[in-house]
Amino acid sequence: MAYTVLGGCSDDCFADFRTWLVGCGRDRYERAPRQPDSLCEAFREIPAGEIPLLEWFLHVPFDRRFGEGSCDQAYAAFGFGLEQLLDPEHAWSHEDEGSISVLCPGVFSEFWGNGRF
């Protein structure tokens, strides 16, 4: 989804996307891998040209207050650890738009290549 909406996605960008998704709440976070198109509404709520960097708004101050690594420990305690992210069952390639559209057809049709973010 992050790759589709953002028109590409580095590791750092994915970390920001994941943090944004965690900030959307547990229901959206857990539903996203099973129903990626359920995020279309959330993507529409983000003003054009902006990518919420909750990483800074959450992670950095949290670690300053509670110690380095505290935010990652909190993610894990609430079940938001990396091990909770399941790989999609469908293989995709960044070179094959068709394979991307199969994973999240609604997100793809609305956000792919529109330059919104």
Side-chain angles (χ1 to χ4, degrees), residues 36-77:
D37 291 337
S38 67
L39 290 178
C40 284
E41 184 178 332
F43 294 140
R44 286 185 212 112
E45 294 169 3
I46 302 170
E50 291 186 23
I51 300 172
L53 298 177
L54 292 179
E55 183 71 19
W56 189 87
F57 289 108
L58 174 65
H59 199 279
V60 173
F62 197 94
D63 279 358
R64 281 186 192 145
R65 169 120 167 112
F66 298 106
E68 189 67 32
S70 296
C71 192
D72 291 335
Q73 291 172 6
Y75 281 152

Side-chain angles (χ1 to χ4, degrees), residues 17-101:
F17 176 82
R18 181 182 81 115
T19 303
W20 167 80
L21 186 54
V22 168
C24 287
R26 187 175 201 127
D27 180 57
R28 268 192 180 157
Y29 177 86
E30 290 179 346
R31 194 169 12 136
R34 294 185 313 273
Q35 299 171 321
D37 291 337
S38 67
L39 290 178
C40 284
E41 184 178 332
F43 294 140
R44 286 185 212 112
E45 294 169 3
I46 302 170
E50 291 186 23
I51 300 172
L53 298 177
L54 292 179
E55 183 71 19
W56 189 87
F57 289 108
L58 174 65
H59 199 279
V60 173
F62 197 94
D63 279 358
R64 281 186 192 145
R65 169 120 167 112
F66 298 106
E68 189 67 32
S70 296
C71 192
D72 291 335
Q73 291 172 6
Y75 281 152
F78 288 105
F80 293 134
L82 285 174
E83 66 281 355
Q84 300 296 319
L85 294 174
L86 304 175
D87 287 333
E89 292 180 14
H90 175 78
W92 67 281
S93 167
H94 69 279
E95 297 173 353
D96 179 8
E97 288 184 12
S99 70
I100 298 168
S101 69

